[in-house]
Amino acid sequence: MEVNEGEVVLDIIHRLQATQAPDMAVRWNCKAGKCGSCSAEVNGVPRLMCMTRMSTFAEDEVVTVTPMRTFPVIRDLVTDVSFNYEKAREVPAFAPPADLKPGEYRMQQVDVERSQEFRKCIECFLCQNTCHVVRDHEENKENFSGPRFLMRIAELDMHPLDVADRVPAAQAEHGLGFCNITKCCTEVCPENIHITDNALIPLKERVIDRQYDPVLVPLAKIFRRNKKN
Ligand code: SF4
Ligand code: SF4
Ligand code: FES
C-alpha cells in the first residue's frame, strides 16, 4: 500500500477499504486517540490504530493488523467487546452518604487528583485484551473483571465520599487475586494510566490490610463465633 508522510495505521486501513476491500469491517470514530474504538493488534502489539504512526515501521517491513485476541471476532477487525460492558455493570455505582444532598459534596484537592488519573480512561479495552489472565484463558472470564474494572473499583474505594465496602467483592467477585501485577496492562494503556501501581497494588494492599490486620482479624473471628452461638 502507498504510505504518505504523517499517516497512521488507520489511514492505511481506510485506503485498503477504498481501493481493494470495500467490505472490510473496521471500527473507528475520532481518529484522535479519544474514542477508544480503533483498538487492534499491530504486528502482535495491542494498540490504537489511529495513534500508531507508519513512520515507526521500516519502509520494507510487512505490517500485520489483526483484531484484539481476547474478544470474539464479529468480522475482520471488529470484535465483540460486550464482556467489558457486562463487567462494568457488575461494579456497584458511586454510593455517597445517604444524608448528603447533591451540592453538599466536599472533598480535598488531593483526593480529586488521585482519581483524576483513572478518569482519563477512554475505554479502549486494550488493557483488558492484554491481561494474560483472560487473554488465553476463556475460562477465567467469568471470575475476573480485568484491569479496567478493578481500577474502577479502586477509584471508588479511594473516593472519600463513597461509603460502600468494596474490598471484599474486589477479591471474591471481581478476581483481584488473579492479578499478579505483571504490569502488561499498564504498558499498553494509550492514556499512560499507571493501572498497576496506582490502582491494582493499592487495592491489593487494602485486601491484605483487611485479611491480616492484628486488631480487625481477631475481632472478626470473635464476631463470627458469637453469631454462630
Ligand atoms: S498487572 Fe494484573 S491486571 Fe494488569 S496485566 Fe498483569 S495480571 Fe493483568
Ligand atoms: S485503562 Fe487505559 S488501556 Fe484500559 S481501557 Fe482505559 S484507556 Fe484503555
Ligand atoms: S479512532 Fe478514536 S481512538 Fe482511534
Side-chain angles (χ1 to χ4, degrees):
M1 289 304 297
E2 172 197 336
V3 176
N4 301 314
E5 204 181 331
E7 283 187 327
V8 293
V9 170
L10 188 60
D11 289 314
I12 308 308
I13 294 291
H14 283 160
R15 185 165 298 128
L16 264 168
Q17 256 185 341
T19 59
Q20 294 179 30
D23 62 344
M24 183 171 64
V26 55
R27 189 186 276 134
W28 71 284
N29 201 322
C30 68
K31 203 170 173 276
K34 285 297 158 209
C35 73
S37 308
C38 68
S39 302
E41 307 205 356
V42 182
N43 287 353
V45 181
R47 314 196 57 157
L48 294 179
M49 287 187 279
C50 73
M51 298 305 283
T52 307
R53 288 196 174 274
M54 289 304 294
S55 58
T56 54
F57 306 104
E59 258 185 44
D60 57 351
E61 192 174 345
V62 174
V63 178
T64 307
V65 184
T66 47
M68 286 192 283
R69 194 166 102 191
T70 300
F71 311 119
V73 174
I74 295 176
R75 202 174 115 193
D76 303 326
L77 292 173
V78 176
T79 52
D80 176 0
V81 292
S82 48
F83 163 77
N84 300 289
Y85 301 125
E86 283 157 24
K87 295 297 173 185
R89 276 194 290 272
E90 287 170 12
V91 179
F94 172 58
D99 55 345
L100 271 191
K101 296 185 191 66
E104 293 176 353
Y105 296 177
R106 300 283 180 272
M107 58 195 282
Q108 300 285 327
Q109 187 59 28
V110 65
D111 292 319
V112 174
E113 280 159 14
R114 189 177 296 138
S115 61
Q116 202 72 25
E117 178 186 14
F118 309 135
R119 307 288 293 187
K120 288 194 303 178
C121 175
I122 58 170
E123 304 228 301
C124 65
F125 305 131
L126 285 173
C127 58
Q128 301 282 98
N129 170 59
T130 305
C131 177
H132 64 92
V133 175
V134 284
R135 190 170 169 88
D136 292 311
H137 297 280
E138 188 68 27
E139 70 279 9
N140 287 340
K141 281 188 178 168
E142 193 182 335
N143 300 314
F144 183 66
S145 295
R148 194 277 168 261
F149 300 105
L150 288 168
M151 178 176 87
R152 173 71 179 146
I153 295 167
E155 178 195 341
L156 288 165
D157 199 55
M158 289 173 193
H159 198 299
L161 294 178
D162 187 83
V163 294
D165 184 10
R166 299 181 184 271
V167 171
Q171 188 77 353
E173 290 162 33
H174 300 280
L176 181 63
F178 279 102
C179 166
N180 53 358
I181 56 174
T182 53
K183 301 196 186 186
C184 316
C185 50
T186 303
E187 278 167 24
V188 298
C189 178
E191 286 294 314
N192 297 315
I193 303 171
H194 294 94
I195 308 168
T196 320
D197 285 348
N198 292 350
L200 306 185
I201 292 176
L203 195 55
K204 278 177 172 284
E205 285 170 350
R206 286 170 187 224
V207 170
I208 291 166
D209 283 352
R210 196 72 73 85
Q211 285 177 343
Y212 300 104
D213 188 293
V215 177
L216 283 181
V217 171
L219 278 179
K221 278 187 185 158
I222 292 167
F223 180 70
R224 274 202 299 272
R225 205 177 301 140
N226 290 344
K227 237 177 147 183
K228 275 186 209 158
N229 296 336

